[in-house]
Every structure is written in structure tokens, then in C-alpha cells.
Amino acid sequence: MIVPMYKYGFVVFHSDYQHFLEVLQGLGVLHVIGKEISDSHELLERSSLKDRIEETIIFLEKREVEIRNEKGSIDVLKVVEDISEKQELLELLMKEMDNSKKELQKVEPWGDFSKATILRLKDKGLQIRFYIGNKNRLSQIQEKYQVEIIHENKSQVYFIIIQPGYLRPVVDATEVSMPDRSLRELKNHIRDTELKISGINERIDFYAASALSFLKAERDKIKSSVEYDQVVLQTRKMLDERLMVLEGWVPENKKQNIDEYLKNSDALSITTKATPKDNVPVLLQNNRFSKLFEPVGHLFSLPAYTELDLTVFFAPFFMLFFGFCLGDAGYGLLFVIGAGIYKLKASKSIKPYLSLIQYLGVATIILGGVSGTFFGINLIESNIHLVNRFRGLFLEPANMFNLALIVGGIQIVFGQFVKAVNQIRQYGITYALGTFGWIFTIVSGLIYYGVISLGLVAYNKSILYLILGIGGIFILFLNDPEAGIISRIGQGVWSIYSTVTGMFGDLLSYIRLFALGLSSAILGFVINEIALEILSASAILGPVFFVVFLIIGHTLNILISSLSSFVHPARLTFVEFYKNAGFSGGGKAYNPFSKYNQLEQ
């Protein structure tokens, strides 16, 4: 749900204003209503420094070191600059190391040689050329030229041809340039580079262990001061700058703290409840389950203040869709167990995401169990004795296809109900009559089709026409209470065309649930089949490679399928469901004027 907001207006005497702002910042509940301003050069510099410190903190937090709570103080700017320089140098050295190792692979077959000696021989008129060729053709080359074999493997041979003069030999082999560095020189260079990298890493680890707390404290201090100064710039000054006027929004569940302060304050204040015409920030408040899905909704947009928060409505469907797409009970079991183990050492900020993974894993276990898939094993066709008693509960692929369409239809119709509630909430019931016409037509039509299919009643055109007639009246004549009759009919005709074609296309979109679940199961099945072939290939190494291939294969399948299982349910939510629910979005997040370290606690 969206937390109701209250608009506060404050009038404060200029001499009390600094203390007033400090108290507001400490309370951390007021979302300041700002005017169009341009930050000063000094503010921009401090914001830039804060961003640099934040980037440094993120970089240092990735280092696996034990944090020490050092006392005293440090020159934060100097530390940030030093770490930045070391990051750049480390990146250059790592690239150089990578290039040197690639060069080593090319030089290693040639062994250790003296480039100076080769150049001296060239001055004496002896040319030494480097070749890589096929072993089977080497004997033909040796008949014509002075060949020295340097290295050989199963199919290739590395050799040099020594001859006087500058005439290039004609041989069936690939000539390569003489390596710039000998093997010894290259290994020495790699060793020196490794020592430099090790030294830089030791220094960075030292900063990570000893400077993080100072960097975070400085970041918090700068951010708090920047926010304070920005609020000062948002303040309107009246009566020759003797009175300071500030406005902002406070959520209903947090206004008690500010009201208690105002009782004992000399500041004048006016409080009004937000209206639909106000540009109000959005703060979501959901139960433990739905709150886990708020980051998913934020990927698209926050709802407008006047509409419903759809998180609680799409959360169960998203969970179900993920399980449908991944569709393997074994994979879901890994999600639940893996996230549970990681929770034991994860930070507080990460735990909600792990809980979300566990819920998605539970859905995958259920849908994987329904489709009869466990780590790529088709339980429907298996000969596992324990499974036999549950075989009747599994759904064949054709039934899973139908289930995907049924679930999609339920979400589309549910979206229409949500749309009607949203319209009543925002504009009144008369604006929702057109939507109720569609709900009546769809639901009544489905019920009528159901009772006919069950043989409870016989097919009767009159009943069908009655359903279409009642729904048509709402759709054609009651869709817009402000429009004239001709305009309403025009809007209704367009609504019939766009809704019928749109719903049909939306419903077909849910086939992806079945298709993705089937593809994940097939990939798992193929991995198992190949692994079994590997197992039977060798009595000694077969079991080892069998296990290795299963782990690698199923890991890759989980990664690929999990990505699709997140993206496509998100698409169904943001396109099909949001459209049918009449979601407009565009809300701006509630961002209170607060001390930064309070927000992290």
C-alpha cells in the first residue's frame, strides 16, 4: 500500500532556523518540497568528493580482509587519491600481466635463446628464420635446408632454418617473427610484475582493514552537510530575510515524531492532508511477503500517489511465474537451501533478497513437482518406485500448456478488477462502469461456458446475447460520464476493438511460461543423457567426468534458465498485468531530509 502523506508548512524566525533544520535532519522524516535551483560550485565539489569516497568504499568492501576499528584520524582526500592511483596502476599491471602470459605461451615452445647472438649472426651474413609446420612435411624441408628442431608436439613442430644470404627459403610451413624477448627475460618480467601487483594489493588491503570506517564517517558527514545546504537553498525568505518558510511531506506513520517536536517549538506550522492534485512523493508499506517484491516493481516505476500499489497483487503471480519458467523441483531445492546457508553470514541488507530467492525456490519446487521434473529427470516416465504412488498428480506437457493459459487468463481478469478499484479510488464509481462492463462480460461468459461444458445447462443463444447486451450497455454508453453520447459510443467501439485484440495477444503471451519451463526441462534431460554416456565410456575415469559434467552442465542450465525465469515474469507483470490494471506509474520516491548514517541503520 501507499502510505498517506501530510503536507507541512513551516515559518521560522531566522535566528532559530539553523537549530530548526538540525532537529529536522535528526528526525529524518520530512521530504522537502524543492524549487528549481542550481547548486553552487562549492556544493557540486563536495558532492563530487562524496561520490569519489563512495566509489572508494565500494572498491575496498570487495577486499576480503578483517576490518580493524582504528582510532584517531586520517587524511581522507589523500587516501582516496592514493587508492585511485593504485587502482589505475593495478589495472595497467593486470593488463600487462595478461599480455605477458599470452606472449609466454607463444615464446615457451622456442625455449631460451639469445636475441643478441642471433643479431650478431645476422651481421655475419647468417639468417635465422622461425617456422611452425606440420611434422609429416618436415623431412622434405630438411632435405633442402639446414633445419634445427626447437620443439614439437603431436602434430606441429617448431624449427629454425639457418642459411647464408638474404634469400627467403620456400617451405611448406608458417614463418613467424622472432620473439621480442627470450623465455628467461619474459619470465623475469612476469615475476617482477607479480611482485608489483602483490605490493599494491597489500597496500590496498591495508586501507580496506584500517581506513573504511574513516571513509564511511567522512562520506556520511559530507552527505549530511550537502543535504543541509541544499535545504537551506530550498528555503524561501520573507520580510527582509527575517522569516524562513519551508514546505515538505511527512508520511502518516512518521508524523508523530515531528508533531511532538512542534508542540514545544516556536516554529509556526500548518498541516494538510495530500490531495490528488498535489505532486506527492511515494512511500510503500507492505507486509513481509510483498515487501520482498518491491525491488521488482521498482525496476519499472513507482505508482502514482493516487493509485494503488500493485506490489501485493503481482507478487504471488510473479512467484508462480518464476517457478513455471524454471520448472525443475531440484533447482528450486538448491535455491531454498543455498539461500538459507548464505543467510547465516549475509549482511542485513542482503537477507531480504535471499528470502526472495527462497520464495522463488519454493514456487519452483511446487511447479517442478507438478510437471514431474527433478534435476532434469522426467519423473512421469521414470521407473522410480517411490514416485509411482504420486504419478497421477503429475501434469503432462499438454496440461501444463493449458495451465499456463488459465493462469494468464486469471491474471488478466484480476487486472481488470484492480483497474476498476483504482478508478473508483481516483475518480469515483461512475468512471469504473465501463471496466465493470468488461468484467461482467468476461466472467459471466466464462461461467456460462463452464456450466455448459459440465453439462449442467444446455446451450442457449438468448443467455449469451443477454450477457453481451448487459456488458455492451456498460461498455458503449457508461464508459465516460463527462463525454456526450456520440463520444461515448465512439470510445466504446474503440474499447471493444482494442480490448478484444489486446486481451487475445496478452493471453498468448503467457504461453512463454510453458515454453521456458519445457526448454529448461529438456536441457536438464540432455545434460543427464550426455553424462550417462560419459559414465559408460570408462570404468575408471567415467564416474569422475560424470560428476564433473553434471555439476557444470546443471550449473550453466540454472544460470541461463534463472535469468529467463526472472526476465519473462517481469515482462508479463509490467506489460500484460500493469496494462490491464490501468497502471500509470511515474511516482517519485519519498526521500527524507536526514542524516545519512541514520538511513543505513
Side-chain angles (χ1 to χ4, degrees):
M1 62 168 285
I2 296 174
V3 179
M5 289 282 178
Y6 285 82
K7 187 177 183 180
Y8 279 72
F10 305 101
V11 180
V12 186
F13 195 63
H14 69 93
S15 60
D16 301 328
Y17 195 56
Q18 181 178 351
H19 174 70
F20 175 75
L21 288 184
E22 289 173 355
V23 173
L24 279 186
Q25 191 173 28
L27 292 173
V29 297
L30 183 73
H31 178 104
V32 176
I33 298 176
K35 56 184 178 179
E36 292 295 329
I37 59 169
S38 57
D39 290 344
S40 66
H41 178 70
E42 188 268 338
L43 267 181
L44 291 174
E45 283 189 341
R46 277 193 286 157
S47 294
S48 176
L49 176 58
K50 182 263 297 178
D51 292 340
R52 288 182 62 193
I53 294 174
E54 182 66 39
E55 290 172 0
T56 304
I57 290 171
I58 293 172
F59 173 70
L60 293 180
E61 283 181 333
K62 295 178 181 177
R63 314 292 291 196
E64 296 182 357
V65 296
E66 184 178 350
I67 307 299
R68 302 196 301 267
N69 294 320
E70 300 283 348
K71 295 183 179 179
S73 62
I74 62 171
D75 187 336
V76 170
L77 182 58
K78 185 177 180 180
V79 169
V80 169
E81 290 176 347
D82 190 27
I83 292 174
S84 179
E85 290 175 1
K86 284 177 168 50
Q87 278 183 272
E88 293 178 4
L89 181 57
L90 185 62
E91 186 176 348
L92 290 173
L93 289 173
M94 293 301 291
K95 287 181 179 179
E96 186 176 341
M97 173 67 76
D98 186 50
N99 292 333
S100 296
K101 287 183 176 180
K102 290 178 181 178
E103 185 181 352
L104 180 64
Q105 291 178 349
K106 296 178 180 179
V107 172
E108 213 160 18
W110 298 108
D112 203 16
F113 61 90
S114 172
K115 189 175 181 179
T117 301
I118 293 174
L119 294 175
R120 283 199 299 270
L121 291 172
K122 185 178 180 180
D123 293 338
K124 299 293 184 180
L126 284 175
Q127 297 294 325
I128 299 179
R129 301 181 188 276
F130 294 73
Y131 292 91
I132 302 175
N134 192 298
K135 290 176 67 175
N136 297 330
R137 297 170 186 164
L138 183 63
S139 58
Q140 300 174 4
I141 301 172
Q142 288 175 321
E143 292 175 359
K144 296 181 181 180
Y145 302 100
Q146 178 64 41
V147 173
E148 290 293 336
I149 298 175
I150 306 301
H151 175 76
E152 57 184 313
N153 52 37
K154 290 182 179 180
S155 60
Q156 288 183 319
V157 60
Y158 294 73
F159 61 93
I160 60 173
I161 294 179
I162 307 171
Q163 66 172 21
Y166 293 93
L167 189 64
R168 188 179 299 275
V170 180
V171 296
D172 188 7
T174 303
E175 184 177 0
V176 295
S177 301
M178 179 179 67
D180 294 327
R181 292 180 283 190
S182 68
L183 187 61
R184 182 180 299 175
E185 291 173 338
L186 197 52
K187 286 183 175 180
N188 288 339
H189 177 73
I190 290 175
R191 186 178 65 253
D192 292 341
T193 306
E194 287 176 340
L195 289 173
K196 291 178 183 178
I197 291 173
S198 177
I200 292 174
N201 279 323
E202 286 180 6
R203 186 62 180 171
I204 293 174
D205 286 343
F206 169 76
Y207 281 133
S210 60
L212 259 176
S213 59
F214 295 106
L215 291 171
K216 289 181 178 180
E218 186 66 18
R219 175 202 60 189
D220 296 345
K221 180 181 176 182
I222 293 173
K223 186 167 182 5
S224 295
S225 68
V226 167
E227 288 191 356
Y228 181 92
D229 291 343
Q230 285 175 333
V231 171
V232 171
L233 291 173
Q234 306 287 352
T235 304
R236 286 184 292 160
K237 301 176 177 64
M238 302 176 66
L239 296 179
D240 297 328
E241 300 189 358
R242 285 181 291 177
L243 294 181
M244 303 295 172
V245 180
L246 185 68
E247 292 180 312
W249 297 101
V250 178
E252 184 178 56
N253 58 356
K254 297 184 178 183
K255 67 189 295 290
Q256 181 178 356
N257 293 337
I258 198 169
D259 289 342
E260 288 294 328
Y261 164 70
L262 291 173
K263 287 180 183 178
N264 302 315
S265 172
D266 293 330
L268 297 177
S269 65
I270 300 175
T271 306
T272 57
K273 195 168 185 178
T275 66
K277 294 182 179 180
D278 292 322
N279 186 16
V280 188
V282 174
L283 175 64
L284 303 182
Q285 185 180 43
N286 289 296
N287 56 41
R288 277 183 74 181
F289 171 74
S290 300
K291 191 173 184 63
L292 299 175
F293 291 83
E294 287 181 6
V296 178
H298 290 173
L299 294 175
F300 184 76
S301 173
L302 282 171
Y305 177 74
T306 53
E307 64 181 343
L308 289 171
D309 172 25
L310 300 187
T311 307
V312 67
F313 302 120
F314 79 72
F317 284 103
F318 188 92
M319 178 178 164
L320 179 66
F321 294 165
F322 184 93
F324 220 122
C325 291
L326 192 54
D328 190 299
Y331 294 170
L333 193 62
L334 283 180
F335 276 38
V336 174
I337 296 174
I341 293 173
Y342 189 35
K343 265 186 177 181
L344 299 176
K345 62 175 183 178
S347 62
K348 188 176 180 181
S349 60
I350 298 296
K351 286 184 178 181
Y353 296 100
L354 297 174
S355 296
L356 175 60
I357 290 173
Q358 287 185 303
Y359 275 111
L360 298 178
V362 170
T364 305
I365 293 172
I366 295 172
L367 270 298
V370 169
S371 63
T373 307
F374 187 82
F375 284 115
I377 301 172
N378 188 346
L379 299 179
I380 298 176
E381 299 178 359
S382 68
N383 294 320
I384 302 174
H385 178 71
L386 183 63
V387 176
N388 290 336
R389 66 181 65 181
F390 304 106
R391 200 177 302 277
L393 301 176
F394 299 139
L395 295 182
E396 297 285 348
N399 294 327
M400 292 298 293
F401 177 89
N402 294 332
L403 181 61
L405 291 179
I406 291 170
V407 171
I410 291 172
Q411 190 182 44
I412 289 172
V413 175
F414 180 67
Q416 289 290 317
F417 274 103
V418 174
K419 180 180 180 179
V421 174
N422 234 336
Q423 290 171 326
I424 294 172
R425 173 190 173 96
Q426 291 178 292
Y427 312 111
I429 192 169
T430 54
Y431 286 84
L433 294 178
T435 304
F436 277 121
W438 279 110
I439 293 172
F440 173 81
T441 303
I442 296 170
V443 175
S444 299
L446 290 173
I447 293 174
Y448 182 54
Y449 175 77
V451 295
I452 291 175
S453 300
L454 294 173
L456 300 178
V457 297
Y459 174 70
N460 190 324
K461 286 185 178 180
S462 300
I463 297 177
L464 182 61
Y465 290 153
L466 179 63
I467 293 172
L468 295 176
I470 295 174
I473 292 173
F474 281 85
I475 296 168
L476 290 172
F477 302 105
L478 301 176
N479 53 66
D480 187 352
E482 295 182 1
I485 187 65
I486 302 299
S487 179
R488 293 188 193 184
I489 293 174
Q491 292 179 31
V493 171
W494 173 252
S495 175
I496 291 172
Y497 170 76
S498 60
T499 303
V500 170
T501 57
M503 283 189 176
F504 182 73
D506 292 344
L507 188 61
L508 291 180
S509 293
Y510 289 88
I511 295 175
R512 73 186 68 234
L513 298 175
F514 162 75
L516 290 168
L518 183 63
S519 64
S520 173
I522 290 174
L523 281 173
F525 174 76
V526 170
I527 290 167
N528 291 343
E529 287 295 306
I530 296 174
L532 289 173
E533 291 183 9
I534 294 173
L535 178 63
S536 60
S538 172
I540 300 175
L541 295 178
V544 176
F545 287 111
F546 169 77
V547 173
V548 172
F549 184 82
L550 279 180
I551 293 173
I552 295 175
H554 282 293
T555 299
L556 291 175
N557 192 23
I558 289 172
L559 293 175
I560 295 170
S561 301
S562 296
L563 179 61
S564 299
S565 300
F566 183 87
V567 171
H568 289 281
R571 184 203 178 281
L572 291 172
T573 299
F574 300 147
V575 179
E576 277 71 26
F577 178 64
Y578 273 21
K579 179 181 69 176
N580 285 287
F583 181 81
S584 58
K588 62 178 180 180
Y590 165 71
N591 184 25
F593 172 46
S594 174
K595 290 186 178 179
Y596 187 57
N597 58 348
Q598 286 184 341
L599 296 177
E600 291 195 335
Q601 290 176 355

